[in-house]
Structures are given as structure tokens and as C-alpha cells.
Amino acid sequence: MEYHHVSAKNGVADENQNAEKLSHIEKAYTTILSELGEDVKREGLLRTPLRAAKAMQFLTKGYKETIQDILNDAIFDENHEEMVIVKDIDLFSLCEHHLVPFFGKAHIAYLPNKKVVGLSKLARIVEIYSRRLQVQERLTKQIASAIAEALEPAGVAVVIEAVHMCMVMRGVQKMNASTVTSVMLGSFNDNAETRKEFLALTMQK
Amino acid sequence: MDHSKQTQYSQNEKKDAGASSSVLNGHFDGMAKRPAGGTGRAATAAAAQPPGAESSSHRPAASVMESWREERTRSVEDNEMSLPSLAAAYTTILRGLGEDPQRQGLLKTPWRAATAMQFFTKGYQEKIIDVLNDAIFDEDHDEMVIVKDIDMFSMCEHHLVPIFGRVHIGYLPNKRVLGLSKLARIVEIYSRRLQVQERLTKQIAVAITEALQPTGVGVVIEATHMCMVMRGVQKMNSKTVTSTMLGVFREDPKTRDEFLTLIRS
């Protein structure tokens, strides 16, 4: 993975801080396990606090990454003004209300205005914002805004369909419900035909 | 078919004397009849087991038993007492991740996450005996009974991340049948815990065996592990399949084949 930790640039001091934070999270998980009534000494759980802490850090690694780091060198001047779509981008995030995963697919489209972006960078933008404690509405908007600011295109559209484990595993327990959110900017917002073309190309299975 | 019963279900209760810390993980040296209410392990946590409860025979902490052999219970009061410490732990986690626990979206998250986690481990509060006692019926039926596509949600005990999938259960009754939803309830009790898929499969099979003494039991679980999908190797489409075949399902390939074919269709 080539993302740059902003914190990594500051050297040893931050590494110590990270190690300290990791051990706080690890202790918190040990408390959680024992409060749930489990036996923290049994073989399967011995290193679980550390693993869970690292897993949680991985699942929220988006906080440390910035758009500038990943995009700066992958914007190209192209004389292309037709729709560019990257669809079915697998997305995994954490619900900020229950700390339980939600996952699904993101479909992104933009109408370039003389500037195109490396295609994988669209997926990397999704990664940066999804690997955080999120709300699906905000996630969709953040992705759209990031692309709009970086490229200044004629239009941006982002659709996310996701399944929320907090609804499936607990609470209402609806196995098959999925949530769809979308943000349309620029000509995707103003022009119904453009929007229809995007939706036809992405949402039809 | 009686000989197969004896090889599988040796009634050797002495083995379960707490000196069995060397039991191989998952080795079924079965007890056909568990003591009523199951056996409890000395809980190291704050959970106070009421002294009179038949479910908690305190064992010295030195004997670490395989958890699939135990039936521990927690009460609603235990859960309520744990909630503040759980919430405090989650607040620490939020801060450790660099988030601001005071922002609007996260204000009550520690409590929500704590309650959610307690829900995901509510299987520890339930005992098979409670769920099954009145739903075993005498029926002169000796053909295979299958309940398939039971949605299952569990938590990986190594990363505390969800596992979800489907369970397929089949059994060959031996004069006794079980209310069908009870099979799904057995799945719920064992899956709502911190689990390892292999152990979960075995626990379900063993519970049905002990309750009904059927001629055979087969359990197949196909699940997706978020710890493999969301992190680590990040393989989106991988599925893990585990199975436990007991009794005639293990001995007779034709029975096993019939079961596997029927759950596939």
C-alpha cells in the first residue's frame, strides 16, 4: 500500500505516540472482554486485545491519509469531455454509531473539464474516506467533494449502496435491507439526461 | 445402528472433572447426558454468579477447559453492571483512534457500541436446556430432517469483527424429534458469542446430539469472515465452510451424500 501516513513524516516522536495509543486501545479491549464475561486467559483470547486494537486501527486508517498525498501526481491534461465511470468499487466502513461494519459498493462518475485523474485514484479516494468512523450520507458527500475540488470537473456523481451490519446483526435485524445514498454535483445535478445516463450505466445489473 | 451410538457417545462423565485441560481442541469424547444446567467455569470477570444457581459449579481457575464444553450464563443484572465500564473502554478506544468523542455523532456511541457488543455476545446468557426442554416430541420418524439456510451472525474471537453466513443442519431422529425452530435457536445461542467457526459447528452438533440422541447429526456452516474481507488479506469473495458429521452421517457415506445434496439444492 502506497498511502503516506502524515504522521510518519514526523519521525520517532509520532511512532512512540502511536505505540502508546495502541496500548491504550489494547487495554480497553481487555476490559471489554472481561466485562462481557469472557475468560481473557483462555488460549483463543490471549492476544485478541492486541489483534482487535490493530484491526481497529486498520479500519480507521483513513484519518491519517490526505487527498493531496494520493492525487498530486496523477492528474493529467486530456481533451476528454465524456463521462468517466468507475463502478462496483468495494467499500468497507464502520458505522460511527455502533462501531459495527457496513459495506457495499460505490459507483463514481465525473465529466472531465480538461483534467482527468488516474482511475485507481477514485478508488483510493473511496478508501481514504471509508476507512473511518462514518455515516453513509457523509461518506458519499466527502467522496464527491474531494473529486470536485481536485479536478474541478463539469460534474461529479457518487452512488453508494451498502448493507449495515448494525441493522442486520442487531436492532431491527433485517437481512436483506440495503441503504442507497447519492450525491450529484454540477451537470449531474442540473441535467436530467446526464444523470439518467449515469444511473443507467451503473445501476442496471 | 446402535453400535455407532456407543462409539460416539461414551457416557464417561468422570472425564469432565476439570482435569481435562489436555483435551484436544474439538475432540468429542462426548457426554450423552450433561448434568442439568451444564457446568460453569469460574468467571474471572465482575459477573457475580449467584451461589445457588445450578449452572455455575465453580472450578479452580487453574483448569482451563475448552469453552465448547461449558454452559455459562450471565444475567441481565450482570450486563447492566458492566455497561459503564464497557462504555468507558469504548470512549478510550475512540480517543486512541484519534477521534473526538465529544462530537455530535459520537456522543452516545460508547453506550451504543457497548450495548451492541452485549447483544452480539448474548449467547453466553442462554442455556440449551432452557430453549429445548419442552420441544422434544416422540415421533415414529426415522427419515432425515433438514433445516437449511439458517442465517447466522457471530463474532470472530481473534479480531472482534463479525462473521456471518448460513448454517445447514440435518439429523436422523431415533424416535425423538425436535421442534424445528429449536434448531435455529441452538444456532443463535452458540453463534452469539466470541467464536471460532470450527468450534461453533461442533457445539451445535453436540448440543443436538445430547438433547435428542439421534442416529446421526450433520451440521454445515458457510460463512464470510469480515476479518479476512475488511482487513488482512482482503479477499472479498472468500467463504469458509466447516462441517461436523456425527453418528451415521459420519459412518455411512450415502447418508452424508444425501444430506449434502439436499442442502445444496
Side-chain angles (χ1 to χ4, degrees):
Chain A
M1 285 180 280
E2 300 143 22
Y3 62 83
H4 303 284
H5 277 280
V6 169
S7 58
K9 294 182 182 144
N10 294 345
V12 179
D14 275 311
E15 282 215 16
N16 285 341
Q17 228 183 27
N18 277 344
E20 204 185 310
K21 285 186 180 164
L22 187 62
S23 83
H24 285 165
I25 303 179
E26 191 185 339
K27 286 198 189 75
Y29 271 114
T30 311
T31 310
I32 290 173
L33 287 179
S34 59
E35 291 293 331
L36 290 174
E38 261 286 4
D39 171 14
V40 288
K41 297 270 185 308
R42 73 173 169 90
E43 190 208 2
L45 292 187
L46 264 180
R47 293 182 49 208
T48 291
L50 182 59
R51 284 186 291 240
K54 284 194 183 157
M56 207 42 151
Q57 281 191 330
F58 179 87
L59 298 176
T60 53
K61 67 179 167 71
Y63 288 122
K64 296 206 184 85
E65 300 159 5
T66 64
I67 300 292
Q68 284 72 27
D69 289 336
I70 57 165
L71 281 188
N72 258 350
D73 35 3
I75 298 183
F76 309 103
D77 296 315
E78 253 336 294
N79 197 2
H80 184 86
E81 287 168 352
E82 299 289 328
M83 202 182 297
V84 177
I85 301 178
V86 178
K87 61 177 190 164
D88 293 328
I89 302 170
D90 288 305
L91 172 160
F92 300 95
S93 189
L94 277 177
C95 151
E96 74 178 16
H97 299 140
H98 301 93
L99 302 185
V100 165
F102 69 91
F103 51 88
K105 291 185 196 275
H107 313 285
I108 299 179
Y110 72 103
L111 278 164
N113 185 13
K114 303 289 186 259
K115 287 200 276 193
V116 300
V117 70
L119 297 169
S120 77
K121 304 303 178 262
L122 294 171
R124 286 187 190 274
I125 293 176
V126 170
E127 271 285 291
I128 284 183
Y129 288 117
S130 60
R131 298 289 185 183
R132 300 180 179 191
L133 302 184
Q134 273 290 9
V135 161
Q136 192 176 326
E137 295 87 335
R138 182 196 315 139
L139 172 60
T140 324
K141 181 153 228 123
Q142 283 173 317
I143 296 171
S145 308
I147 299 169
E149 281 173 25
L151 295 178
E152 286 145 343
V156 180
V158 178
V159 171
I160 297 183
E161 322 175 32
V163 171
H164 290 243
M165 288 280 107
C166 54
M167 270 179 72
V168 170
M169 282 179 81
R170 59 165 289 292
V172 275
Q173 297 190 60
K174 295 295 180 188
M175 312 287 145
N176 301 314
S178 65
T179 306
V180 181
T181 51
S182 63
V183 168
M184 307 283 172
L185 300 176
S187 21
F188 285 95
N189 194 20
D190 305 329
N191 185 341
E193 285 301 318
T194 313
R195 191 158 62 243
K196 224 163 46 168
E197 183 185 339
F198 165 63
L199 293 173
L201 287 168
T202 54
M203 301 301 274
Q204 271 168 13
K205 302 291 170 205
Chain B
M1 284 302 164
D2 279 343
H3 68 276
S4 67
K5 271 176 78 174
Q6 266 144 34
T7 51
Q8 293 292 328
Y9 320 143
S10 59
Q11 307 223 11
N12 192 351
E13 292 200 17
K14 288 210 187 99
K15 273 199 181 171
D16 179 32
S20 46
S21 52
S22 59
V23 168
L24 293 169
N25 191 13
H27 175 62
F28 177 56
D29 60 345
M31 302 172 292
K33 297 235 186 315
R34 237 179 239 192
T39 55
R41 176 171 6 98
T44 55
Q49 301 280 359
E54 56 184 21
S55 68
S56 56
S57 60
H58 275 244
R59 296 179 180 273
S63 66
V64 175
M65 295 178 60
E66 295 299 335
S67 75
W68 64 265
R69 296 170 103 218
E70 290 120 21
E71 299 243 25
R72 272 179 299 112
T73 53
R74 279 172 69 78
S75 61
V76 176
E77 291 75 34
D78 290 332
N79 278 350
E80 279 174 16
M81 280 178 6
S82 312
L83 216 43
S85 339
L86 277 172
Y90 273 111
T91 310
T92 311
I93 292 174
L94 289 178
R95 239 180 251 121
L97 295 174
E99 261 285 8
D100 169 20
Q102 301 302 317
R103 74 171 169 87
Q104 189 211 33
L106 293 186
L107 218 37
K108 291 176 64 188
T109 290
W111 295 93
R112 283 186 291 242
T115 323
M117 203 48 149
Q118 284 186 332
F119 182 87
F120 296 143
T121 54
K122 70 178 168 69
Y124 291 127
Q125 283 164 248
E126 299 157 1
K127 292 190 305 213
I128 299 292
I129 292 287
D130 291 333
V131 155
L132 289 187
N133 253 351
D134 34 4
I136 298 179
F137 307 104
D138 296 313
E139 258 329 297
D140 194 9
H141 184 85
D142 58 0
E143 297 288 332
M144 202 180 294
V145 176
I146 296 178
V147 178
K148 62 178 187 166
D149 293 329
I150 301 171
D151 288 304
M152 177 276 294
F153 301 94
S154 189
M155 288 297 261
C156 155
E157 74 177 17
H158 298 141
H159 301 93
L160 302 184
V161 165
I163 302 170
F164 54 87
R166 294 190 155 169
V167 182
H168 312 284
I169 300 178
Y171 73 101
L172 266 170
N174 185 12
K175 304 288 186 261
R176 288 159 66 171
V177 299
L178 185 59
L180 297 169
S181 77
K182 303 303 177 263
L183 292 168
R185 285 186 192 276
I186 293 177
V187 171
E188 270 286 292
I189 286 183
Y190 287 119
S191 60
R192 297 291 186 179
R193 299 182 178 190
L194 303 183
Q195 273 290 8
V196 160
Q197 191 176 327
E198 297 85 336
R199 184 197 312 139
L200 172 60
T201 322
K202 181 145 238 146
Q203 282 174 313
I204 296 171
V206 166
I208 298 170
T209 303
E210 289 181 1
L212 292 179
Q213 281 101 47
T215 321
V217 176
V219 177
V220 173
I221 300 187
E222 323 174 11
T224 306
H225 290 239
M226 296 310 286
C227 53
M228 270 179 72
V229 169
M230 285 181 79
R231 58 164 291 291
V233 276
Q234 298 190 62
K235 294 295 178 189
M236 313 288 146
N237 300 314
S238 69
K239 283 202 165 107
T240 306
V241 182
T242 53
S243 64
T244 298
M245 303 289 172
L246 299 177
V248 71
F249 280 77
R250 176 176 279 193
E251 321 260 304
D252 180 6
K254 290 213 195 74
T255 311
R256 191 160 63 239
D257 277 342
E258 182 186 340
F259 171 57
L260 294 174
T261 310
L262 285 171
I263 61 175
R264 205 145 285 150
S265 59

